[in-house]
Amino acid sequence: AAFAAEVRRVPMQVREPMMGEVRLQWWHDAIDGAAKGGSSGHPVADALGAAIRRRCHSDTGLLHTAVEARLFDLSRGLHADDAGLGTYLEATDGCIFELGLAICGLPVSEHRRNIAGASGRAYGLARALVRLPALLDKGGFPMPEDRLSEAQVTPETLVARPPTSETVRAVSSIAEILETSALRDLEIV
C-alpha cells in the first residue's frame, strides 16, 4: 500500500513530465535492487524489497507494471473509452491487489487474477471520485474521452469554476462506470 501511494503520488508532485519519468525510473531501479537484497535508503523501497524476497520469490513483474502504468498520468491525457480506463486501472491498482495475493501466500489463479483486476478497477474509480478536485486541479482527468464527449464537456470546461451542469453530468458518468462496470465485475467473480 505504501509503495502504491509513493508511485501514485509521483505525477501529482511534478510539473514537468520528464521529472516524473526520472522518479518513476528510480522506482524501477529500486525494485530491481531491492529484489536482489540491495538497500536504497528509502524506507518504503527497502521494506518492499524485504517483502519481495520473503513472499514473492523475487518476482517483480507486477511492481514494474504498476510503475510503468503511471507514465500515462504524466501525459495528462485521456483514456479513449471505458476499456482503456479499465486496462489502466488493472495495471495500477489491480496489480497491487494481485501482489497482495502473492504476499499472503495465495497461488495466483486466473480466477484470483480476475478478482484482483475487478477490485483494482472499483478501487481506482472510487479513489478518482474522492480525489476528483485535486486531480482536476493537476490536469488529471479520470474519465474516458468518449464519456466527456457524450456529456458535451471538454477538459477545459471540466475544471471551470463554478461547475456547469454538463460538468456535473460528466462527473456522474464516473460514478456510473463504477456502478455498472467495476461493481458488476466483482459480483460475477
Side-chain angles (χ1 to χ4, degrees):
F3 161 76
E6 289 286 336
V7 296
R8 183 184 305 115
R9 205 176 1 247
V10 169
M12 300 298 282
Q13 291 176 327
V14 298
R15 291 181 187 204
E16 296 295 324
M18 181 65 86
M19 291 306 299
E21 290 175 23
V22 168
R23 288 184 184 189
L24 291 174
Q25 182 58 50
W26 183 91
W27 275 103
H28 278 299
D29 297 343
I31 290 166
D32 290 338
K36 295 175 184 168
S39 175
S40 69
H42 189 288
V44 172
D46 293 344
L48 182 65
I52 292 168
R53 292 187 305 277
R54 276 194 318 266
R55 303 287 187 172
C56 302
H57 312 291
S58 297
D59 181 10
T60 60
L62 291 171
L63 295 167
H64 284 295
T65 297
V67 172
E68 195 68 28
R70 292 294 172 187
L71 287 170
F72 181 84
D73 296 340
L74 296 172
S75 72
R76 310 281 198 250
L78 297 172
H79 299 283
D81 52 25
D82 289 359
L85 177 60
T87 299
Y88 165 80
L89 292 172
E90 286 177 23
T92 54
D93 296 305
C95 278
I96 302 305
F97 279 92
E98 191 172 334
L99 184 62
L101 293 172
I103 289 171
C104 291
L106 298 172
V108 179
S109 64
E110 189 64 30
H111 178 69
R112 287 185 175 139
R113 190 170 282 121
N114 289 340
I115 290 171
S119 299
R121 289 190 303 276
Y123 179 76
L125 286 169
R127 279 191 59 77
L129 285 170
V130 168
R131 299 181 63 238
L132 190 61
L135 290 171
L136 293 174
D137 286 343
K138 286 289 190 176
F141 304 102
M143 58 198 82
E145 189 172 20
D146 64 346
R147 287 188 180 261
L148 285 177
S149 295
E150 184 180 304
Q152 300 175 346
V153 175
T154 65
E156 295 76 28
T157 59
L158 193 58
V159 296
R161 300 291 186 260
T164 65
S165 60
E166 290 83 7
T167 302
V168 172
R169 211 170 35 245
V171 171
S172 296
S173 184
I174 298 174
E176 180 184 312
I177 298 170
L178 180 60
E179 183 177 68
T180 61
S181 176
L183 294 179
R184 182 190 66 232
D185 289 348
L186 283 173
E187 288 175 9
I188 291 171
V189 295

